[in-house]
């Protein structure tokens, strides 16, 4: 099983700042890495798939990068609605696995 | 508009069974791989099971293999999860999720239902 480790666990920033979230895989996932946002009481929302492709309707301030085992989600100029929990997910091999999440909170 | 509506959650005793359903609309259900993903209270996301568009291929997490069965009815646009021999650790919100259907491989999930809560307790 591929284990995904996200860091930091919690990130405290202010609106307008830049957020950088990391996801490290225990094995090479090539580029098969996605990112989701989950707001309290809501279902997850797909942001990025296959490392750097924005899903439909996702603002350009969200971007993804990386390859192999190290991946990054960057949110430029944080908006109030961006404060949420973010998960990475790999589809390189079964079972599909998620990271434990990074909580992005308002400083 | 894509809609996924889960039902069937509730309270069940350890060792008991429960069947979840997901009613899909707004897309060609028979062309989409589907999955169940769960989230224990206050915890992260855990993929549970996946089924191919035609229903002939299924995958399960080790934690539910041999106890849960995923199925679908493409004539009714429904996805089911039969959960048997349930344990306290199965307590979670269960989400139905639609696959993005990329050319290679399975997932990610571009649409999710709002989830149904399953509680396993005596």
């Amino acid at each position: 099983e591929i284990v995904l480790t996200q860091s930091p666990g919690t990130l405290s920033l202010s609106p307008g700042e830049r957020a950088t979230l990391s996801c490290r895989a225990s094995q090479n996932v090539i580029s098969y890495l996605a990112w989701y946002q989950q707001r309290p009481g809501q279902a997850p929302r797909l942001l990025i798939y296959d490392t750097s492709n924005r899903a439909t309707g996702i603002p350009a301030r969200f971007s993804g990068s990386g390859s192999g085992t190290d991946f990054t989600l960057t949110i430029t100029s944080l908006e109030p609605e961006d404060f949420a929990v973010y998960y990475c997910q790999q589809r390189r091999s079964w079972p599909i696995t998620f990271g434990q999440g990074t909580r992005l909170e308002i400083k | 508009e894509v809609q996924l509506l889960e039902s069937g959650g509730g309270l069940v005793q350890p060792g008991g069974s429960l069947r979840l359903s997901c009613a899909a609309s707004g897309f060609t259900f028979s062309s989409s791989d589907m999955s169940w993903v769960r989230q224990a209270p206050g915890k992260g996301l855990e993929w549970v099971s996946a089924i191919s568009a035609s229903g002939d291929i299924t995958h399960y997490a080790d934690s539910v293999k041999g106890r849960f069965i995923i199925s679908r009815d493409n004539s009714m646009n429904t996805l089911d999860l039969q959960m048997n021999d349930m344990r306290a650790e199965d307590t979670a919100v269960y989400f139905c999720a639609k696959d993005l259907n990329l050319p290679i491989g399975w997932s990610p999930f571009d649409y999710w239902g709002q989830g149904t809560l399953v509680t396993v307790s005596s």
Side-chain angles (χ1 to χ4, degrees):
Chain A
E1 171 176 320
I2 296 176
V3 176
L4 300 178
T5 302
Q6 293 186 238
S7 61
T10 301
L11 185 57
S12 300
L13 294 170
S14 300
E17 291 192 296
R18 178 188 187 95
T20 302
L21 288 68
S22 295
C23 178
R24 174 163 289 179
S26 62
Q27 302 173 38
N28 185 358
V29 299
I30 310 177
S31 63
Y32 298 134
L33 196 287
W35 292 93
Y36 299 84
Q37 176 194 70
Q38 188 177 32
R39 297 173 178 143
Q42 296 187 14
R45 172 194 182 198
L46 178 64
L47 300 174
I48 301 287
Y49 65 93
D50 289 356
T51 299
S52 59
N53 298 282
R54 274 190 303 276
T56 302
I58 302 303
R61 65 180 181 274
F62 291 91
S63 65
S65 62
S67 67
T69 61
D70 289 291
F71 299 85
T72 300
L73 173 69
T74 302
I75 313 170
T76 58
S77 190
L78 285 165
E79 298 286 343
E81 62 267 26
D82 297 337
F83 292 92
V85 179
Y86 291 83
Y87 295 95
C88 57
Q89 175 241 316
Q90 66 81 24
R91 66 185 192 97
R92 172 65 179 89
S93 66
W94 299 101
I96 290 168
T97 51
F98 291 88
Q100 83 281 14
T102 289
R103 180 178 304 277
L104 178 56
E105 64 176 26
I106 299 177
K107 186 173 182 180
Chain B
E1 179 193 5
V2 172
Q3 290 194 349
L4 299 169
L5 184 61
E6 302 95 339
S7 62
L11 176 64
V12 60
Q13 292 188 337
S17 298
L18 205 61
R19 189 177 185 90
L20 305 183
S21 289
C22 172
S25 61
F27 65 102
T28 306
F29 182 73
S30 60
S31 296
S32 183
D33 300 333
M34 299 291 295
S35 278
W36 288 96
V37 178
R38 68 185 180 184
Q39 186 169 36
K43 302 298 184 182
L45 301 170
E46 180 189 16
W47 170 80
V48 172
S49 183
I51 188 167
S52 64
S54 61
D56 60 341
I57 300 172
T58 57
H59 294 275
Y60 297 93
D62 284 346
S63 58
V64 307
K65 198 172 293 183
R67 300 188 300 122
F68 289 12
I69 301 171
I70 190 172
S71 62
R72 64 190 296 160
D73 184 338
N74 285 346
S75 67
M76 297 293 289
N77 289 355
T78 56
L79 174 72
D80 289 341
L81 185 68
Q82 176 66 42
M83 303 184 293
N84 301 320
D85 187 23
M86 297 186 71
R87 306 165 181 169
E89 53 266 35
D90 295 322
T91 295
V93 173
Y94 284 72
F95 295 101
C96 165
K98 171 188 170 297
D99 201 291
L100 182 58
N101 295 310
L102 295 171
I104 299 174
W106 296 56
S107 86
F109 311 116
D110 59 345
Y111 288 94
W112 299 62
Q114 282 305 299
T116 186
L117 177 62
V118 172
T119 303
V120 184
S121 176
S122 56

